[in-house]
C-alpha cells in the first residue's frame, strides 16, 4: 500500500490560495492609492487573477465596489446598510 501524501497537495493548495489572495489585496491597495479606476476587470489584470476568482470572493468584490463608489461620489443610504 502506498503512503498517503495528500497532505502535501492540501498544503500546496492552501499556499497558492494565500498567495493569490495577497496579490488581490495588494492590487486593490495599489489601485486605490494611485487613483486607478477600480473595476473587477482592472483588479483581475492588476492582481494577475481571473475575474471569476474575484467574483467568488465576496469580501474583495465588496471592497472593489466600495472603492469604486467612493471614487464616483456615490453613497449608500443608511436604510440600505442595515
Amino acid at each position: 500500500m502506498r503512503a498517503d501524501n495528500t497532505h502535501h497537495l492540501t498544503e500546496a493548495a492552501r499556499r497558492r490560495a494565500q498567495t493569490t489572495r495577497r496579490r488581490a489585496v495588494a492590487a486593490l491597495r495599489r489601485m486605490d492609492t494611485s487613483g486607478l479606476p477600480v473595476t473587477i476587470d482592472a483588479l483581475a489584470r492588476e492582481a494577475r487573477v481571473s475575474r471569476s476568482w474575484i467574483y467568488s470572493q465576496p469580501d474583495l468584490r465588496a471592497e472593489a465596489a466600495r472603492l469604486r463608489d467612493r471614487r464616483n461620489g456615490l453613497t449608500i443610504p443608511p436604510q440600505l446598510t442595515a
Side-chain angles (χ1 to χ4, degrees):
M1 180 184 254
R2 297 181 75 147
D4 180 13
N5 290 318
T6 56
H7 66 281
H8 295 295
L9 295 173
T10 304
E11 179 60 23
R14 187 188 63 73
R15 282 193 310 269
R16 277 192 315 273
Q18 286 178 336
T19 300
T20 301
R21 184 161 199 64
R22 270 194 240 85
R23 278 199 328 262
V25 169
L28 264 176
R29 289 181 182 146
R30 279 193 310 273
M31 293 171 79
D32 184 37
T33 302
S34 65
L36 291 171
V38 179
T39 64
I40 298 300
D41 186 53
L43 175 58
R45 278 186 275 119
E46 181 77 18
R48 299 179 333 269
V49 300
S50 70
R51 287 177 305 171
S52 62
W53 181 83
I54 293 171
Y55 281 117
S56 73
Q57 308 298 310
D59 59 327
L60 293 177
R61 264 192 358 248
E63 181 63 8
R66 186 187 70 76
L67 293 173
R68 183 183 58 243
D69 292 348
R70 185 185 73 190
R71 187 154 300 133
N72 292 334
L74 301 175
T75 57
I76 300 172
Q79 67 270 22
L80 296 179
T81 59

